[in-house]
Amino acid sequence: DIQMTQSPSSLSASVGDRVTITCRASQDIINYLAWYQQKPGQVPNFLIYAASSLQPGVPSRFSGSGSGTDFTLTINSLQPEDVATYYCQKYNSALPTFGQGTRVEIK
Amino acid sequence: QAQLVQSGSEVKKPGSSVKVSCKSSGGAFSSYSFSWVRQAPGQGLEWMGGIIPISGTTNYAQNFQGRVTITADTSTSTAYMELSGLRSEDTAVYYCARGPKLGDHNFWYFDLWGRGTLVTVSS
């Protein structure tokens, strides 16, 4: 089974900072990677698919990159409403797997 | 506007089963895939399994093989997840999530989520 590992597990940054979250797959998943945001007490919100394609309605300060085994989610200019846990998820097969999540807080 | 409406909270005894429903509206039910993702208190997201209603094809995570059954009723646009042999560790919020179909291919990421169903397992 392909494992998805996110780093860091949590981070604290100031409003306006650039934040980068890394997701590593244990095998090549090409670009079959999605990202989700889950705010406290809320349902997961779909952000990005195909590693870098932004879902309509997602603020442009969010971006994704990477291919193969290494991927990143970047938040340019962190905002208070971005406090959440972020999950990557691989979907290169019909057995999707999530990363363990990265909690983002405001310093 | 497309939405997934899940059934209400459940309290179950250890060893029993639970069946959660997810009614889809605003889209071509049969063409999408529908998955179940659970989240234990304070924990991350865990995919349990999914179904493509038009073909009846199901896929299950290894952790739940033999304990979970996912079905779909195309006449009512409703997907179901039944989990048996409940134990306290199964206490979680269970989400229904829809996967898109692009062309002839079903993708297993999730662009639409239900609000979740809390299942509590307690004696």
Side-chain angles (χ1 to χ4, degrees):
Chain A
D1 291 359
I2 298 176
Q3 305 301 314
M4 305 301 294
T5 304
Q6 289 183 231
S7 60
S9 56
S10 65
L11 65 88
S12 182
S14 299
V15 172
D17 282 354
R18 183 179 186 180
V19 168
T20 299
I21 298 168
T22 297
C23 177
R24 176 163 290 175
S26 60
Q27 297 177 35
D28 186 350
I29 59 169
I30 310 176
N31 71 334
Y32 292 105
L33 188 93
W35 289 96
Y36 303 85
Q37 172 196 62
Q38 187 177 32
K39 296 181 180 180
Q42 296 189 18
V43 177
N45 180 41
F46 173 53
L47 298 177
I48 288 170
Y49 64 100
S52 61
S53 296
L54 214 62
Q55 176 74 348
V58 174
S60 59
R61 63 181 179 274
F62 291 91
S63 64
S65 65
S67 65
T69 60
D70 294 318
F71 303 87
T72 59
L73 173 70
T74 300
I75 309 173
N76 282 301
S77 189
L78 184 70
Q79 299 300 304
E81 59 266 32
D82 300 333
V83 169
T85 299
Y86 293 84
Y87 296 92
C88 64
Q89 178 232 321
K90 67 96 175 171
Y91 60 94
N92 65 314
S93 72
L95 297 173
T97 305
F98 290 92
Q100 81 277 18
T102 296
R103 178 180 292 182
V104 174
E105 299 176 336
I106 300 291
K107 192 180 295 181
Chain B
Q1 183 177 353
Q3 59 177 343
L4 302 175
V5 178
Q6 297 185 221
S7 50
S9 298
E10 302 263 12
V11 179
K12 293 293 184 179
K13 299 286 188 187
S16 67
S17 298
V18 67
K19 190 170 186 177
V20 183
S21 67
C22 169
K23 184 173 178 60
S24 173
S25 62
F29 177 76
S30 293
S31 295
Y32 295 105
S33 66
F34 291 87
S35 287
W36 292 88
V37 177
R38 82 173 184 181
Q39 187 169 39
Q43 301 301 307
L45 303 173
E46 182 178 26
W47 181 79
M48 302 176 66
I51 188 168
I52 301 174
I54 196 170
S55 64
T57 300
T58 53
N59 297 290
Y60 299 114
Q62 189 169 3
N63 285 351
F64 298 96
Q65 285 276 2
R67 273 214 308 149
V68 67
T69 303
I70 296 173
T71 57
D73 183 343
T74 55
S75 68
T76 60
S77 298
T78 304
Y80 299 90
M81 184 281 297
E82 184 169 22
L83 186 63
S84 61
L86 290 170
R87 36 208 189 225
S88 59
E89 311 89 270
D90 294 317
T91 294
V93 175
Y94 290 77
Y95 292 104
C96 172
R98 189 187 75 179
K101 182 173 184 177
L102 303 175
D104 293 331
H105 194 76
N106 285 97
F107 287 89
W108 294 87
Y109 60 86
F110 312 116
D111 62 359
L112 183 66
W113 293 68
R115 297 185 65 83
T117 297
L118 175 62
V119 175
T120 302
V121 183
S122 174
S123 55

